[in-house]
Amino acid sequence: MSLRVAVAAPFRQNGTSRLEESEFVVSLSLERGWFSPDQAKRLIDVATREGLIEHADDELVAAFDPTDVTVPEEFVPDEDLLRERSAFERVLDALVAEGMEKHEAVGAINALQGELGVTIEAAAVIYARREGIDVTELVPIAKAALTADEAG
């Protein structure tokens, strides 16, 4: 997943799992030239909401092992990383990261959605859990989508 790669890069570059926010921003903007400083700060917000970064004291802490992530030399993150992703997109990324083909996952989720008559988010969470993939953090989002769908 390219968000994880973009987040891991500054930590790997500095050989640590803890960085001051300014170090993280400088790494992504000035040293790598991937984002403007404002975009790098936006990436911190997105990564925090997705559980990849935690704030501890005055530092950013990787919520995963950055050394487990490979940052290819030719890698350049897409600006789409800066937008909030839906629960469906996040589940799909998790399924693909576990080795499932994207088109197969989408087809299976769509079939489950039709079978159960639920939102795409709920179907994605159910499917991932059936496949043994932990998407616990997305369950509240899927539930909220269900109740919003029922109210509408």
Side-chain angles (χ1 to χ4, degrees):
M1 161 169 46
S2 56
L3 177 61
R4 184 178 292 267
V5 174
V7 170
F11 293 108
R12 288 183 55 89
Q13 178 178 332
N14 289 285
T16 184
S17 62
R18 300 177 78 91
L19 288 171
E20 290 182 15
E21 183 172 325
S22 61
E23 293 174 305
F24 189 89
V25 169
V26 166
S27 176
L28 291 175
S29 59
L30 299 177
E31 293 171 3
R32 292 187 177 267
W34 287 348
F35 300 107
S36 72
D38 285 343
Q39 289 173 319
K41 289 176 184 175
R42 173 76 178 126
L43 184 73
I44 292 169
D45 293 341
V46 171
T48 300
R49 276 194 289 283
E50 300 225 2
L52 296 175
I53 294 176
E54 298 169 354
H55 293 269
D57 302 320
D58 292 335
E59 293 181 313
L60 301 176
V61 180
F64 61 97
D65 185 352
T67 61
D68 288 344
V69 178
T70 301
V71 183
E73 271 190 51
E74 69 282 355
F75 177 77
V76 177
D78 192 291
E79 285 188 27
D80 281 353
L81 296 180
L82 303 176
R83 70 174 178 81
E84 197 66 39
R85 296 179 309 145
S86 70
F88 170 75
E89 291 169 309
R90 291 169 64 186
V91 170
L92 191 57
D93 281 349
L95 290 165
V96 170
E98 290 294 321
M100 183 171 285
E101 291 293 324
K102 189 173 187 173
H103 69 278
E104 289 176 15
V106 170
I109 292 167
N110 284 336
L112 187 59
Q113 180 188 18
E115 176 187 325
L116 299 177
V118 296
T119 64
I120 193 76
E121 290 85 3
V125 168
I126 293 166
Y127 181 75
R129 293 194 59 172
R130 285 182 179 175
E131 293 296 310
I133 297 171
D134 182 17
V135 291
T136 305
E137 75 278 4
L138 300 174
V139 170
I141 297 168
K143 283 183 180 177
L146 280 173
T147 55
D149 192 49
E150 290 172 359

